[in-house]
């Protein structure tokens, strides 16, 4: 029973390592382990961690030789740590540090078929810094003694709304299109004296107002209805005056 448990735990750990590990095809998808690919540029754009795998794919006439730093610089493979010639080589990165690989075929290393990598642990891998937010406006902080709340910048006061009716010009008083007609003078005649003049026996005296009325009547026949109306009013005025005099 304990042996079965240990085997299951080992198998689960292996699966976890495989799930977390990243496989890197040397040279990238558009390159390979050959003299036409810039291996240094490709390696500088990758981040290798412990548990990842390097996959070398190459044609016959090439090999993969892991060497020391000195042999890497001098392109010497006579003292290689390990040499692979299968055409498809998987090299696990089991520990942190730098490792060096070249092709031992004559002239290939000098032509650029060499690779230097640096394996990192997960804890030492570079992490992306979080994005910084733009700074806000100035905020005055309270002193420890007062303990007052911070004072935010005050917003500008809104101007009071203007009544659109107050801006309209005052309406002038309406002008009567029809001018007022002059008041007609009263046709009534005011007597100058209330005393009755002396009358001689047998003599008929016609009052001046009656004579004026008769002359007005004769002219009213020529002037039409307005003149006749004035004559009638004058006659009635004379009668009222005579009644008051008696």
């Amino acid at each position: 029973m304990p042996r079965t448990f240990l085997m299951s735990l080992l198998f689960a750990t292996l699966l976890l390592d495989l799930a977390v590990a990243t496989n890197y095809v040397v040279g990238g998808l558009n390159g390979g382990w050959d003299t036409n690919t810039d291996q240094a540029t490709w390696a500088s754009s990758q981040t290798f961690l412990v548990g990842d795998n390097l996959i070398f794919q190459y044609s016959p006439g090439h090999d993969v030789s892991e060497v020391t730093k000195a042999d890497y610089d001098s392109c010497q493979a006579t003292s290689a740590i390990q040499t692979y010639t299968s055409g498809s080589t998987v090299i696990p990165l089991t520990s942190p540090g730098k490792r060096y690989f070249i092709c031992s075929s004559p002239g290939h290393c000098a032509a650029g078929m060499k690779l230097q990598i640096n394996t990192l642990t997960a804890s030492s891998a570079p992490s992306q810094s979080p994005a910084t937010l733009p700074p806000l406006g100035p905020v005055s902080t309270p002193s420890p003694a007062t303990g007052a709340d911070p004072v935010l910048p005050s917003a500008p006061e809104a101007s009071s709304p203007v009544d659109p009716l107050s801006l309209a010009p005052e309406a002038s008083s309406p002008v009567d299109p029809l001018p007022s007609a002059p008041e007609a003078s009263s046709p009534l005649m005011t007597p100058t004296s209330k005393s009755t003049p002396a009358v001689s026996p047998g003599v008929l005296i016609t009052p001046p107002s009656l004579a004026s009325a008769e002359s007005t009547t004769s002219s009213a026949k020529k002037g039409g209805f307005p003149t006749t109306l004035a004559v009638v009013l004058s006659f009635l005025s004379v009668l009222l005056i005579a009644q008051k005099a008696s």
Side-chain angles (χ1 to χ4, degrees):
M1 188 69 179
R3 184 178 179 181
T4 305
F5 175 76
L6 292 177
M7 292 296 295
S8 301
L9 183 60
L10 180 60
F11 183 72
T13 304
L14 180 60
L15 291 179
L16 182 61
D17 291 341
L18 292 177
V20 175
T22 301
N23 296 324
Y24 292 95
V25 177
V26 175
L29 299 178
N30 297 325
W33 184 238
D34 52 36
T35 57
N36 298 324
T37 303
D38 188 349
Q39 308 295 340
T41 301
W42 173 82
S44 63
S45 63
Q46 312 298 328
T47 301
F48 304 102
L49 301 178
V50 174
D52 293 343
N53 298 307
L54 291 180
I55 301 177
F56 291 83
Q57 295 179 347
Y58 46 95
S59 59
H62 299 297
D63 61 21
V64 178
S65 297
E66 185 174 1
V67 295
T68 61
K69 176 67 168 62
D71 290 343
Y72 174 85
D73 293 336
S74 60
C75 287
Q76 297 291 329
T78 54
S79 302
I81 300 172
Q82 185 71 40
T83 300
Y84 306 92
T85 58
S86 63
S88 180
T89 303
V90 178
I91 299 179
L93 303 178
T94 56
S95 60
K98 293 184 178 180
R99 300 177 70 172
Y100 307 92
F101 304 91
I102 65 172
C103 178
S104 61
S105 298
H108 291 186
C109 177
M113 206 167 175
K114 54 192 302 186
L115 175 66
Q116 171 184 330
I117 66 167
N118 185 22
T119 306
L120 304 175
T121 59
S123 59
S124 62
S127 59
Q128 296 181 352
S129 59
T132 57
L133 297 177
L136 300 177
V139 178
S140 59
T141 56
S143 59
T146 59
D149 294 334
V151 180
L152 297 177
S154 58
E157 297 181 356
S159 57
S160 58
V162 180
D163 187 3
L165 298 180
S166 63
L167 300 179
E170 296 182 358
S172 59
S173 58
V175 180
D176 188 3
L178 298 177
S180 59
E183 297 181 358
S185 61
S186 174
L188 298 178
M189 299 179 63
T190 305
T192 58
S193 175
K194 293 183 180 181
S195 62
T196 304
V199 179
S200 301
V203 179
L204 180 62
I205 299 176
T206 304
S209 60
L210 183 60
S212 174
E214 289 178 355
S215 62
T216 305
T217 304
S218 61
S219 63
K221 292 181 181 179
K222 299 178 182 181
F225 176 75
T227 308
T228 304
L229 179 60
V231 171
V232 172
L233 293 176
S234 300
F235 181 74
L236 292 177
S237 300
V238 171
L239 292 179
L240 291 176
I241 294 172
Q243 186 177 3
K244 290 180 179 180
S246 60

